[in-house]
């Protein structure tokens, strides 16, 4: 007889697994996993999108000087003797590298800046992801991409601060990884990068000191104290290596005494030449320019700072992110000039704090709601607010008025004019034609790919009152007489010469007389208050009489 199939009674309970499946809520919808390299590509596209239209933005003095000095360095000339500036030598060779890779031109400088900006933004993504999550890193990277293109911060020009950040950020990542993994090689590598910072810009030494303090505090903790002497000694050694190598290099070149003068003695006169009252005025002006139209970024960063210290992030993450901002503040003050590009070093800390605000918001939402879509929306909101300025000032990024943008970025400095005069001069010049700029506008040497007839290519440095200025001006004048340049540009503008009441006028007076006796005009660019500048060329230039005291003239030897 066949056995009957056992049928559970109607009142029996369902098996436990089935009961749990019935009573459990539906799974929250999850966003597909996005590999980090995809976000890195997205960050790169954001940087390129914000900068590509402005790739031909006019050069300004500093980046032109660095490009020119890089050319001299890579041609084998001796730093501080054959050419000079009051910056450490690593800066010159770095810009020489940019010239070699991206081309010695205004476009090459700005392509190099675009590459540096991508590098910096991606490193912020990596650091934010390391300490928080993908949202913190992604939002911080996009904020940096936007703020690092701030015109008044010289975000569109290849300044030394961009390169300082390019070494600082990987140093931060390497230090954290070295401490967490007890990796000696990473610790040494991070210390070498931090030690290289003041070899690019002296004020970046504060970040080197901050790194040393970070490592010291880590190894002073009870659980790590055994490795204090060994690891602190290793870190200090790494910090000293770039400086020692630089001294060895300068000694081998035989320019140690000249380097000491330009890196130590001369900068002290530069930093002490602005009064406290003028410094306060410049600080107020710069702060308004920096924050104007960008207030939302600073407000969100303040909220991020508050949220950061209320969060459950590791103490070293809280401390280092805050320190990145605080350590940048003293780099703004030396010399009491408060130039726009001094503020660039604030951006890594500011960007990470901005990202921290959305990281905290995301955590709060995920704790109160299991809906992952809400957390995804927080990331989207963070990126959208990060792009607030490009969205509300779209014309600045994609169809800019270059003349207006130059005036906003560099009040009173008509850098757009030099590009136009260089465009007039370029087709006239032949290989081997000597060229000189009388005034501190090294942009012409880059636009026209020419060398200055004298090492004193930055004439304002010879105009600043000092015991050496008269001798420098006489030397520059003799160099000019020897070269007999066929084409010259005379800069009749106060910012080009930076004359003081007690300045020597030898070079200014002699070059002015030379131009008006030995040369005939090709073109003029006249600046008249708030009125648009005028370009005068052709036959009209031969009879042109400037109506203002601010003009630039292109001349050819008679």
């Amino acid at each position: 007889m066949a056995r009957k199939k056992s049928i559970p009674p109607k009142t029996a309970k369902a098996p436990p697994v089935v009961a749990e499946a019935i009573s459990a809520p539906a799974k929250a919808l999850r966003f597909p996993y996005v590999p980090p390299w995809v976000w890195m590509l997205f960050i790169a596209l954001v940087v390129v999108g914000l900068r590509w239209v402005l790739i031909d933005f006019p050069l300004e003095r500093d980046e032109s000087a660095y490009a020119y000095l890089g050319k001299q360095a890579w041609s084998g000339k001796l730093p501080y003797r054959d050419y000079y500036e009051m910056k450490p030598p690593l800066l010159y060779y770095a810009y020489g590298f940019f010239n070699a890779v991206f081309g010695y031109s205004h476009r090459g400088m700005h392509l190099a800046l675009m590459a540096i900006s991508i590098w910096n933004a991606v490193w912020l993504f990596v650091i934010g992801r390391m300490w928080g999550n993908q949202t913190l890193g992604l939002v911080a990277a996009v904020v940096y991409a936007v703020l690092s293109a701030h015109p008044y911060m010289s975000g569109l020009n290849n300044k030394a601060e961009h390169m300082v950040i390019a070494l600082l950020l990987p140093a931060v990542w390497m230090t954290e990884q070295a401490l967490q993994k007890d990796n000696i090689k990473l610790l040494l590598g991070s210390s070498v990068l931090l030690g290289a910072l003041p070899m690019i810009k002296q004020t970046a030494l504060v970040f080197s000191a901050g790194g040393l303090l970070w490592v010291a505090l880590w190894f002073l903790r009870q659980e790590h104290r055994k490795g204090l002497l060994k690891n602190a000694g290793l870190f200090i050694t790494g910090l000293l290596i770039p400086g020692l190598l630089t001294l060895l290099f300068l000694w081998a070149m035989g320019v140690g005494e000249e380097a000491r003068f330009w890196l130590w003695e001369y900068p002290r006169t530069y930093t002490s030449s602005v009064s406290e009252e003028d410094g306060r005025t410049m600080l107020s002006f710069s702060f308004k320019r920096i924050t104007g139209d960008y207030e939302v970024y600073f407000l969100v960063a303040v909220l991020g700072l508050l949220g950061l210290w209320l969060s459950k992030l590791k103490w070293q993450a809280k401390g280092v992110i805050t320190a990145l901002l605080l350590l940048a503040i003293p780099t703004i003050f030396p010399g009491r000039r408060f130039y726009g590009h001094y503020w660039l070093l604030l951006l890594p800390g500011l960007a990470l704090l901005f990202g921290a605000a959305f990281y905290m918001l995301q955590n709060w939402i995920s704790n109160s709601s299991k809906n992952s879509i809400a957390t995804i929306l927080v990331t989207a909101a963070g990126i959208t607010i990060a792009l607030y300025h490009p969205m509300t000032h779209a014309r600045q990024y994609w169809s800019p008025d270059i003349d207006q943008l130059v005036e906003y970025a560099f009040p009173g400095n008509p850098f757009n004019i030099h590009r136009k005069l260089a465009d007039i001069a370029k087709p006239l010049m032949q290989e081997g034609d000597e060229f000189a700029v009388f005034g501190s506008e090294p942009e012409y040497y880059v636009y026209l790919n020419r060398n200055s007839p004298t090492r004193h290519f930055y004439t304002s440095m010879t105009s600043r009152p000092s015991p050496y200025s008269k001798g420098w001006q006489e030397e520059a004048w003799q160099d000019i007489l020897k070269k007999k340049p066929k084409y010259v540009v005379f800069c009749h503008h106060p910012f080009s010469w930076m004359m003081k009441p007690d300045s020597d006028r030898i070079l200014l007076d002699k070059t002015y007389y030379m131009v008006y006796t030995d040369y005939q005009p090709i073109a003029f660019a006249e600046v008249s208050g708030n009125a648009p500048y005028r370009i005068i060329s052709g036959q009209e230039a031969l009879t042109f009489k400037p109506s203002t005291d601010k003009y630039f003239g292109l001349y050819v030897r008679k």
Side-chain angles (χ1 to χ4, degrees):
M1 181 176 174
R3 295 180 62 186
K4 290 185 178 180
K5 193 173 182 181
S6 177
I7 301 174
K10 292 183 180 179
T11 57
K13 291 183 179 179
V17 175
V18 177
E20 288 175 11
I22 293 171
S23 61
K27 281 188 177 181
L29 180 62
R30 295 191 177 277
F31 197 76
Y33 170 72
V34 179
W37 69 265
V38 174
W39 291 124
M40 292 178 184
L41 179 60
F42 169 74
I43 292 164
L45 291 174
V46 170
V47 173
V48 172
L50 294 175
R51 291 181 174 275
W52 186 255
V53 171
L54 292 162
I55 200 75
D56 285 322
F57 192 69
L59 293 168
E60 55 82 66
R61 287 188 194 92
D62 284 358
E63 70 174 332
S64 303
Y66 301 154
Y68 178 78
L69 293 168
K71 178 185 177 184
Q72 304 309 306
W74 275 53
S75 68
K77 293 185 178 179
L78 298 178
Y80 310 111
R81 181 177 295 169
D82 298 332
Y83 62 91
Y84 65 84
E85 226 273 3
M86 51 186 177
K87 297 291 189 297
L90 183 57
L91 181 77
Y92 312 145
Y93 291 94
Y95 276 80
F97 173 77
F98 295 155
N99 292 338
V101 174
F102 298 99
Y104 180 64
S105 66
H106 69 286
R107 177 167 286 191
M109 276 292 99
H110 297 159
L111 284 172
L113 175 58
M114 185 182 293
I116 294 170
S117 300
I118 292 171
W119 169 271
N120 291 345
V122 166
W123 270 112
L124 278 168
F125 168 71
V126 171
I127 292 169
R129 194 166 173 267
M130 173 181 68
W131 277 329
N133 62 7
Q134 203 149 261
T135 295
L136 197 163
L138 188 58
V139 173
V142 176
V143 167
Y144 180 84
V146 173
L147 292 182
S148 65
H150 193 311
Y152 186 72
M153 286 192 198
S154 293
L156 302 177
N157 299 95
N158 199 342
K159 295 279 198 169
E161 286 79 3
H162 294 286
M163 199 177 354
V164 168
I165 296 170
L167 296 185
L168 173 62
L169 294 178
V172 168
W173 180 84
M174 291 172 71
T175 304
E176 174 67 6
Q177 293 294 312
L179 296 178
Q180 294 296 336
K181 299 176 180 179
D182 195 22
N183 188 310
I184 291 178
K185 290 181 180 179
L186 283 175
L187 190 66
L188 180 62
S190 68
S191 63
V192 170
L193 287 178
L194 289 170
L197 298 181
M199 299 300 103
I200 295 173
K201 189 174 177 68
Q202 293 95 320
T203 55
L205 180 64
V206 296
F207 294 108
S208 308
L212 178 59
L213 179 61
W214 177 12
V215 171
L217 290 174
W218 174 269
F219 285 106
L220 282 172
R221 293 167 59 180
Q222 187 67 38
E223 62 268 32
H224 303 298
R225 197 167 291 176
K226 286 184 179 179
L228 174 61
L229 292 178
K230 182 184 75 172
N231 288 287
L234 179 71
F235 197 81
I236 292 172
T237 301
L239 286 175
L240 294 175
I241 284 174
L244 293 173
L245 288 177
T246 300
L247 290 175
L248 181 62
F249 169 76
L250 295 173
W251 175 80
M253 289 280 197
V255 294
E257 186 60 28
E258 293 92 332
R260 185 196 64 80
F261 174 81
W262 287 110
L263 294 177
W264 175 251
E265 191 173 328
Y266 185 82
R268 288 190 298 169
T269 65
Y270 180 79
T271 56
S272 61
S273 60
V274 175
S275 68
E276 289 188 18
E277 184 179 352
D278 288 343
R280 285 193 295 269
T281 301
M282 294 173 76
L283 174 59
S284 176
F285 178 82
S286 287
F287 183 77
K288 290 176 182 177
R289 282 288 175 118
I290 294 296
T291 57
D293 296 329
Y294 293 85
E295 296 93 340
V296 64
Y297 297 96
F298 292 88
L299 291 173
V300 174
V302 170
L303 294 175
L305 179 61
L306 295 174
L308 179 71
W309 285 95
L310 294 172
S311 73
K312 295 181 180 179
L313 283 179
K314 295 177 181 179
W315 281 100
Q316 62 264 31
K318 296 178 182 180
V320 176
I321 290 174
T322 305
L324 283 172
L325 184 69
L326 295 181
L327 289 174
I329 293 173
T331 69
I332 300 170
F333 284 80
R336 298 191 288 267
R337 284 172 168 80
F338 306 105
Y339 292 144
H341 59 95
Y342 290 4
W343 301 73
L344 282 168
L345 294 179
L346 291 170
L347 296 188
L350 192 72
L352 286 168
L353 289 174
F354 191 103
F358 290 92
Y359 169 78
M360 288 302 301
L361 179 60
Q362 191 178 64
N363 279 353
W364 178 78
I365 290 175
S366 64
N367 289 335
S368 59
S369 170
K370 300 301 181 184
N371 188 350
S372 64
I373 290 295
T375 61
I376 294 169
L377 291 176
V378 171
T379 306
I383 294 172
T384 302
I385 296 174
L387 292 170
Y388 161 79
H389 193 267
M391 290 190 296
T392 56
H393 297 74
R395 187 183 174 193
Q396 174 181 314
Y397 297 89
W398 297 295
S399 57
D401 182 327
I402 296 297
D403 295 335
Q404 192 177 68
L405 200 55
V406 167
E407 178 57 30
Y408 168 74
F410 309 104
N413 279 293
F415 293 129
N416 45 337
I417 281 176
H418 306 311
R419 171 79 185 278
K420 296 184 183 300
L421 285 182
D423 286 342
I424 293 173
K426 197 165 189 175
L428 302 176
M429 300 175 71
Q430 297 180 359
E431 188 175 353
D433 285 345
E434 293 288 345
F435 171 75
V437 181
F438 300 150
S440 299
E441 304 298 346
E443 307 94 297
Y444 288 97
Y445 294 122
V446 181
Y447 286 136
L448 299 172
N449 194 13
R450 302 284 158 164
N451 289 323
S452 168
T454 176
R455 69 185 183 122
H456 304 288
F457 73 102
Y458 224 137
T459 54
S460 64
M461 297 185 80
T462 71
S463 301
R464 190 170 291 114
S466 83
Y468 308 95
S469 59
K470 185 175 181 180
W472 290 339
Q473 291 189 31
E474 288 285 7
E475 179 188 337
W477 174 244
Q478 291 303 318
D479 291 338
I480 291 165
L481 289 178
K482 288 178 185 176
K483 292 289 186 178
K484 295 181 180 178
K486 182 175 180 180
Y487 295 93
V488 301
V489 168
F490 188 89
C491 306
H492 201 284
H493 195 284
F495 290 169
S496 294
W497 289 89
M498 299 298 288
M499 301 294 292
K500 307 291 183 184
D502 53 343
S503 292
D504 286 300
R505 295 179 55 92
I506 296 170
L507 190 59
L508 174 61
D509 291 341
K510 287 188 174 183
T511 53
Y512 183 87
Y513 181 77
M514 170 187 271
V515 164
Y516 280 92
T517 56
D518 299 341
Y519 290 81
Q520 69 179 29
I522 297 172
F524 288 94
E526 187 178 50
V527 184
S528 180
N530 294 324
Y533 64 84
R534 288 200 306 147
I535 301 293
I536 301 96
S537 59
Q539 289 298 314
E540 187 181 357
L542 296 174
T543 57
F544 174 72
K545 302 294 181 185
S547 59
T548 75
D549 62 346
K550 295 178 182 178
Y551 64 90
F552 302 85
L554 170 65
Y555 302 85
V556 62
R557 182 176 282 276
K558 294 178 182 176

